[in-house]
Amino acid sequence: MAKPKADLPAPGAVRSLIDGEGRLAVRVTPGAKVEALEITEGKLLAKVRAKPQDGKANDAVRELLAAALGLAPSRLELLRGATSREKQFKIG
């Protein structure tokens, strides 16, 4: 059985959360039942199935953000939060 597509907001809505220096803050919920990006109270929330082991959840968040923004995952760099739920990515 194929995994269902992630629930993603419009690319413009996600882009509006990127600051003037190309940074995007994300709060992550690893080990979720479904993969999704949500914008709540002006903050981006990411839910990923991957567990926070060996950077798997970070990679899943990067893939989800890339899909939402229509970019290659290599264009997103994790600036801070490698072991935290609060992460910051640089959009390149």
Side-chain angles (χ1 to χ4, degrees), residues 21-70:
E21 297 179 19
R23 296 177 305 210
L24 179 63
V26 184
R27 179 158 178 91
V28 178
T29 302
K33 291 187 185 241
V34 295
E35 293 200 344
L37 283 179
E38 299 174 3
I39 298 174
T40 305
E41 298 176 9
K43 296 182 181 181
L44 187 61
L45 308 173
K47 296 178 182 178
V48 294
R49 286 190 186 100
K51 300 288 184 194
Q53 297 170 342
D54 302 323
K56 290 178 184 173
N58 291 335
D59 292 341
V61 173
R62 180 180 287 115
E63 295 280 336
L64 201 58
L65 287 174
L69 293 168

Side-chain angles (χ1 to χ4, degrees), residues 62 73-80 88-92:
R62 180 180 287 115
S74 61
R75 301 250 339 255
L76 290 107
E77 176 188 358
L78 181 62
L79 293 178
R80 74 171 196 231
Q88 189 175 65
F89 285 89
K90 171 84 172 166
I91 313 300

